[in-house]
Amino acid sequence: MHLAKVKGILSSQNGMNLYRGCVHGCIYCDSRSVCYHMDHAFEDIEVKENAIALLDAALTRKRSKCILSTGSMSDPYIPVEKDVESVRKALELAYLHGFGFTVITKSDLILRDIDLLSAINRKTKCVVQMTLTTYDEALCRKIEPNVCSTKRRFDVLLRLRDAGIPTVVWLSPVLPFINDTEENIRGIMDYCIEAGVRGVICFGMGLTLRNGNREYFYSRLEELFPGLKEKYMRTYGGSYQVVSPDNDRLMGVFHQICSENGIMHDNQRIFDYLRAFEEKKADIQLELF
């Protein structure tokens, strides 16, 4: 871990990355790509030490309320968050200033902040986005080794459901010849149905590989699945889009399950929902501070 001062924290789309880097160890992570110009080791977490002060100033200046977001580049609920608490402080500011919030994570550490997530959701809207890729627990431990398993993430979704906090699942990525099976898709969708998720984002059965994350992914394939790297190289070479041979059939299964269970599965519709600010009139103001 190292500290860094930054000039700004909110993007033009009201997103923020409170940290740079990650230690979850997911073998497919796009954020390792060279195009993101990370100038330090990926596992050496950069903590933006002035992020909260910048966020407070930015929210004070904003003329209209909106949904704030985090987690698109680096999972914000990495172990360092237990001590630094940048996410919790950002949630506190969102609540105090009356902004909505959405966060993408794979970590059960988010349950620490369920009080603030609930408080924001009472005033406006707070949506938790949870990534689920692999129903099989042993396989999950291989491809996402340093974060809680899919079953534990499902438990988190149930807790959020019971707290009235809306959730969206990312079914992504699906790795060809590894978890691109109907059993996997149906297992994950069973979790989504029981947890009452609002929507499932899926860009297809496959993944993308850029310079940087491709090399890391192939090295992990060689270690974890002997012989599979060569099959990938024969099938896909240096392609950016890596699509499962069973993509069309599996996407049909996915869309059918969503349609039958009232789950949003049009990506644009889900993104519109995530961006839409809602102001609620609560009868009782929750006093946290």
Side-chain angles (χ1 to χ4, degrees), residues 25-252:
C26 304
I27 70 172
Y28 50 74
C29 183
D30 176 72
S31 294
R32 293 180 181 273
S33 301
V34 172
C35 63
Y36 299 123
H37 306 292
M38 190 172 295
D39 57 1
H40 56 86
F42 192 70
E43 289 77 13
D44 177 17
I45 306 302
E46 179 180 289
V47 177
K48 299 177 181 180
E49 60 179 324
N50 59 335
I52 300 305
L54 289 172
L55 180 61
D56 191 18
L59 298 185
T60 301
R61 292 193 303 268
K62 273 192 173 291
R63 296 182 179 180
S64 58
K65 300 294 191 286
C66 63
I67 301 289
L68 308 175
S69 65
T70 190
S72 61
M73 281 294 297
S74 298
D75 192 322
Y77 282 106
I78 47 181
V80 70
E81 167 63 17
K82 294 176 184 178
D83 298 318
V84 178
E85 296 192 341
S86 289
V87 182
R88 184 165 181 86
K89 293 169 186 174
L91 288 168
E92 289 172 348
L93 287 177
Y95 175 80
L96 288 170
H97 288 282
F99 285 77
F101 209 96
T102 185
V103 55
I104 307 172
T105 187
K106 294 185 180 84
S107 174
D108 57 354
L109 180 57
I110 194 169
L111 291 178
R112 179 201 64 185
D113 296 332
I114 199 167
D115 57 339
L116 282 165
L117 300 171
S118 297
I120 293 169
N121 197 52
R122 290 205 237 305
K123 289 178 72 172
T124 168
K125 184 170 72 180
C126 185
V127 184
V128 173
Q129 303 176 60
M130 183 71 70
T131 300
L132 305 180
T133 67
T134 309
Y135 183 71
D136 181 274
E137 290 289 281
L139 182 57
C140 177
R141 289 294 184 197
K142 277 189 172 184
I143 68 174
E144 298 165 343
N146 303 325
V147 69
C148 66
S149 71
T150 301
K151 177 61 170 63
R152 176 57 177 157
R153 291 176 228 171
F154 168 59
D155 294 338
V156 172
L157 289 170
L158 293 178
R159 287 279 304 278
L160 295 169
R161 179 202 65 188
D162 293 345
I165 299 167
T167 56
V168 165
V169 159
W170 285 74
L171 177 50
S172 174
V174 176
L175 309 180
F177 317 122
I178 297 176
N179 62 346
D180 58 338
T181 67
E182 184 169 338
E183 179 184 14
N184 184 51
I185 302 307
R186 288 191 179 277
I188 291 173
M189 292 308 302
D190 284 346
Y191 280 159
C192 293
I193 294 165
E194 187 172 346
V197 304
R198 299 292 181 92
V200 178
I201 296 169
C202 181
F203 289 98
M205 302 296 158
L207 76 159
T208 58
L209 294 175
R210 309 175 201 254
N211 291 339
N213 83 308
R214 179 186 295 107
E215 290 76 9
Y216 183 79
F217 178 67
Y218 277 176
S219 70
R220 298 294 284 143
L221 283 187
E222 192 167 29
E223 179 182 345
L224 297 170
F225 307 97
L228 193 53
K229 172 186 172 182
E230 288 71 22
K231 186 173 184 177
Y232 263 77
M233 294 180 71
R234 287 195 307 269
T235 307
Y236 303 110
S239 298
Y240 169 66
Q241 292 280 356
V242 176
V243 181
S244 167
D246 208 14
N247 175 75
D248 291 347
R249 187 182 70 84
L250 292 176
M251 286 301 292

